[in-house]
Structures are given as structure tokens and as C-alpha cells.
Amino acid sequence: MRRLLFESLILPPLTEPAPVSADAAAKELAAAVDDKARRRLGRSLAIRAIDAGSCNGCELEMHALSNAFYDIERFGIRFVASPRHADVLIVTGPVTKNMAEALERTYDATPDPKWVVALGDCARSGGCFAGSYAVVGGVSKIVPVDLHISGCPPSPTDILKGLLALLDHVSERAG
């Protein structure tokens, strides 16, 4: 016990190294998303996350956008608790039979203009859960999808790139 105590006083703490400087790229990407959202909507972008039956891998990456490293709220992108306040619905996981109606009702409760993003391979096609007795399939079987972001799970940077692509596509259609 003494040895452990003395070692803890002498040895440095075991921590992971700080992330490499991809921070500049993330800042630039988030600023571009914010700029597009403000030009298209006249305000910040509000996102409602919906777990339709996922393994939570995509949620971890999506929620990493709110941590101190990415901190997307400083760019006007925020997650909201109600679909009535949302511009974008980000749906993760294959849609289970238990969540199909809830997803439809959430979609109906979201005001126009609204966009749906299927996040991850499971949301696209059911992923490794496709064909299961409890799974309806991908998100597009229940509600119309505007963007698919591939990956298992996609990184936070990929999610930001996807949101920027969505806003670019919406601006082109409107303009």
C-alpha cells in the first residue's frame, strides 16, 4: 500500500494526450454551418436527436459535438428537447417496430421547413440489424430522408460536414 502511495506521488498522472490540431478544421466547418443556417433560416440551427433503436454509438459521436472540444453551440447550432422547436431531425439506429409510430409523430410535430438526417449505417438500411423480427428497416421506410451520413459510427467532423452539405443542398433548391 505504501509503495502505491509513493508511486502516485512521484509518477505523473496517466492521461491521454491532447487531440491534434484538427481543431482549426472543426472551427472552420462549424462556422460554415452556422453561416449557412443563418442565411437560410435567419437564425441558428436547432436539432432534435431521435434514437429509433440504435446501439448508442452514433449518439456518442453526435453528443460529442456539444463537448468542450467541438462546442458547436458557440456557432449557433444547438440540440433542442422538443420537435416543435427543431429545424433538423437527426435519427439514429434502425427503426424498431416499437419506435416507428413515435418517429412518425415526431416528424409530424416538427414545423416546416424541416429536414431529416439519417445518421449512421443502421439508420440508412438497418445495418447489421436488418431483417430482424423487431426492425422495420432504415429511417426512409418511415419518414422522408433528406441526407444520409454514413459510418458506424460517423465521426463528429463527418456529422458537421453532413449538416453543411444539407444546408448547401437546401440553399441550392431554394435559390
Side-chain angles (χ1 to χ4, degrees), residues 107-157:
Y107 179 80
D108 293 338
T110 306
D112 290 325
K114 60 187 164 197
W115 303 285
V116 177
V117 175
L119 183 62
D121 294 339
C122 292
R124 174 182 213 111
S125 62
C128 62
F129 303 104
S132 168
Y133 67 92
V135 172
V136 175
V139 176
S140 60
K141 290 197 177 205
I142 305 299
V143 295
V145 173
D146 298 293
L147 176 71
H148 294 278
I149 300 176
S150 296
C152 186
S155 69
T157 305

Side-chain angles (χ1 to χ4, degrees), residues 49 56-68 70 79 119 156 159:
N56 290 336
C58 292
E59 282 83 3
L60 291 172
E61 298 299 316
M62 180 176 46
H63 292 164
L65 291 170
S66 295
N67 70 21
Y70 291 99
F79 289 95
L119 183 62
I159 298 169

